[in-house]
Amino acid sequence: MSTVIYPSPIFGPIHSRRLGISLGINLLPADGKVCSFDCIYCECGFNADHRPKQKMPTREEVATALEKKLVEMHNDDVHPDVLTFAGNGEPTSHPHFAEIIDDTIRLRNKYCPDAKVSVLSNATFCGRKSVHNALMRVDNNILKLDTIDPIYINKVDRPTGHYNVEEVIEHLKAFNGHVIIQTMFMKGDINGFNVDNTGDLYVAPWLEAVKRIKPMEVMVYTIDRETPAHGLLKATHEELDSIRDKVTAAGIPCTASY
Ligand code: SF4
């Protein structure tokens, strides 16, 4: 199994399918994974297999490392399209997430004003005022909503604490359109549970929730790397295109990544 644990607090730049030349900012420890979900498709692996011994980087460590890397890239004439908060778990779980966003915006404005600041999050903490307000300040507030079916969520996303999908939908609505919904579609069978969420059974109620949220965009995608759970299959191009077309028919821009 070749899941990935990323360096911390800065990794890359890497070329992202969805985001372009992306400099990664990882607010989780460098030696393991910390997430409020434990997705069966997580490219970092299962939480239990990667318990970290190190701490999260401090706000100061993140700002120092980010500035050093941006100066280096500037001197090399490499210009990031995006500074992306992602990595070994849930970025908004960092206790100084909001302040780190402010530091990042300041450094972006100084060294690469054309770059976007993106956050990839599972949305579990976006109801917290400081997290909500910080996410309102970033360019791409990309929040996960794989389905609205509680059984599927418990089998596939596997929240580690309280998670009520209706509450999450309300939190997503509260961004008043300043949110991009990202949804993983896949197929396969895990311990007798069919994880295929590409059919109308899952897509129709998910689409109704998306319409209520009124995001600026939706990103649908599928498995791209090795997953910790065995038996997962990619959604096909046709399936993703069909879902994308349903979203765009509802008047919401949507991209599909295969
Ligand atoms: S939310 Fe993201 S980081 Fe967390 S377990 Fe799921 S895929 Fe991994």
Side-chain angles (χ1 to χ4, degrees):
M1 179 193 312
S2 62
T3 49
V4 188
I5 293 294
Y6 291 94
S8 170
I10 305 298
F11 62 95
I14 54 176
H15 192 269
S16 155
R17 289 186 292 170
R18 291 185 281 160
L19 304 170
I21 296 176
S22 168
L23 183 64
I25 305 171
N26 176 14
L27 301 186
L28 291 313
D31 64 337
K33 180 190 165 200
V34 182
C35 196
S36 47
F37 275 3
D38 195 10
C39 301
I40 60 173
Y41 58 77
C42 182
E43 65 181 38
C44 298
F46 290 129
N47 293 356
D49 294 335
H50 301 282
R51 300 270 184 229
K53 294 193 176 61
Q54 295 175 22
K55 294 190 169 136
M56 291 177 172
T58 64
R59 171 186 179 180
E60 291 71 27
E61 286 167 347
V62 177
T64 302
L66 178 59
E67 182 156 27
K68 184 166 175 273
K69 187 69 186 182
L70 290 177
V71 168
E72 184 189 307
M73 289 175 72
H74 192 262
N75 291 342
D76 292 344
D77 211 20
V78 177
H79 306 287
D81 295 309
V82 60
L83 309 180
T84 306
F85 285 81
N88 306 339
E90 176 49 38
T92 65
S93 66
H94 193 290
H96 298 291
F97 175 73
E99 293 88 343
I100 292 169
I101 289 294
D102 290 339
D103 293 341
T104 302
I105 290 171
R106 176 175 54 80
L107 293 169
R108 183 274 310 271
N109 293 349
K110 185 170 176 188
Y111 294 105
C112 49
D114 293 335
K116 306 286 189 204
V117 175
S118 294
V119 176
L120 293 167
S121 160
N122 64 24
T124 46
F125 302 123
C126 72
R128 293 182 183 171
K129 196 161 188 282
S130 70
V131 172
H132 170 95
N133 290 344
L135 291 173
M136 286 298 286
R137 296 195 288 276
V138 305
D139 300 290
N140 296 321
N141 172 29
I142 306 172
L143 300 183
K144 184 188 292 293
L145 184 68
D146 284 342
T147 177
I148 65 158
D149 184 278
I151 295 170
Y152 190 94
I153 291 166
N154 283 329
K155 292 279 188 193
V156 173
D157 294 330
R158 307 195 310 160
T160 59
H162 170 80
Y163 184 89
N164 177 301
V165 73
E166 272 304 317
E167 283 173 20
V168 171
I169 291 167
E170 289 304 313
H171 296 155
L172 296 172
K173 277 171 65 179
F175 287 104
N176 288 323
H178 186 76
V179 59
I180 296 169
I181 300 297
Q182 59 163 345
T183 301
M184 164 69 83
F185 288 97
M186 61 184 177
K187 301 193 291 188
D189 192 286
I190 296 296
N191 301 326
F193 183 76
N194 181 359
V195 299
D196 184 346
N197 64 340
T198 64
D200 247 12
L201 177 66
Y202 289 102
V203 172
W206 165 83
L207 184 55
E208 287 310 307
V210 168
K211 287 186 204 165
R212 283 167 59 202
I213 295 163
K214 298 189 175 66
M216 59 199 279
E217 187 183 332
V218 173
M219 294 173 166
V220 300
Y221 66 120
T222 190
I223 297 161
D224 189 37
R225 301 202 173 92
E226 197 157 346
T227 59
H230 299 292
L232 304 183
L233 301 168
K234 284 171 83 85
T236 65
H237 287 213
E238 293 72 23
E239 285 158 344
L240 288 176
D241 286 349
S242 158
I243 296 164
R244 178 199 61 201
D245 292 347
K246 287 180 179 151
V247 178
T248 50
I252 300 166
C254 183
T255 59
S257 304
Y258 312 107

